[in-house]
Amino acid sequence: MSELVSAIITTRNRDSLLCNAIKSILGQTYPDIELIVVDDGSTDKTRDLCHAFPLRYVYIPPAESRGGNYARNLGVKNAKGRYVAFLDDDDEWLPTKIEKQLK
């Protein structure tokens, strides 16, 4: 049995970049990954984009925004996996990243 990995992306107003980051996590060869996107007060189409994918969406209203570290910690708080991996919203993982890291 494989261990659950929680992949966390934090984002703010970068919907044009976020889609590729999400797809790179969903395209992993390792099967047991939960994806959490923490939206730190976006006013663009981030919410709509996230609802089009199988992921957990956590929204921080702009008035409650406290920066990237707070958003990452909120992602960890919502994570259920034994392992946690972070991905910036403007980056992508190679398909075997998690599989190789767990070996």
Side-chain angles (χ1 to χ4, degrees):
M1 178 197 283
S2 57
E3 298 285 348
L4 181 64
V5 175
S6 298
I8 300 169
I9 302 173
T10 57
T11 191
R12 181 176 181 142
N13 289 329
R14 293 171 66 131
D15 62 346
S16 62
L17 300 171
L18 182 60
C19 187
N20 287 337
I22 290 171
K23 288 179 180 179
S24 78
I25 291 175
L26 296 177
Q28 290 293 298
T29 57
Y30 186 81
D32 292 325
I33 298 176
E34 71 168 344
L35 173 53
I36 302 168
V37 174
V38 181
D39 180 353
D40 194 15
S42 292
T43 56
D44 60 4
K45 296 187 184 293
T46 296
R47 178 186 306 261
D48 295 336
L49 173 70
C50 288
H51 287 313
F53 290 99
L55 57 82
R56 184 172 316 130
Y57 177 75
V58 178
Y59 182 71
I60 302 169
E64 296 176 22
S65 175
R66 295 183 210 150
N69 289 334
Y70 175 76
R72 281 186 279 282
N73 285 330
L74 189 57
V76 171
K77 188 175 183 179
N78 280 274
K80 295 180 182 169
R82 177 169 183 191
Y83 302 104
V84 174
F86 293 99
L87 177 63
D88 291 337
D89 60 3
D90 64 345
D91 207 351
E92 297 175 38
W93 286 346
L94 295 174
T96 58
K97 175 201 175 2
I98 297 298
E99 180 181 350
K100 287 180 178 179
Q101 282 189 309
L102 287 175
K103 284 183 183 176

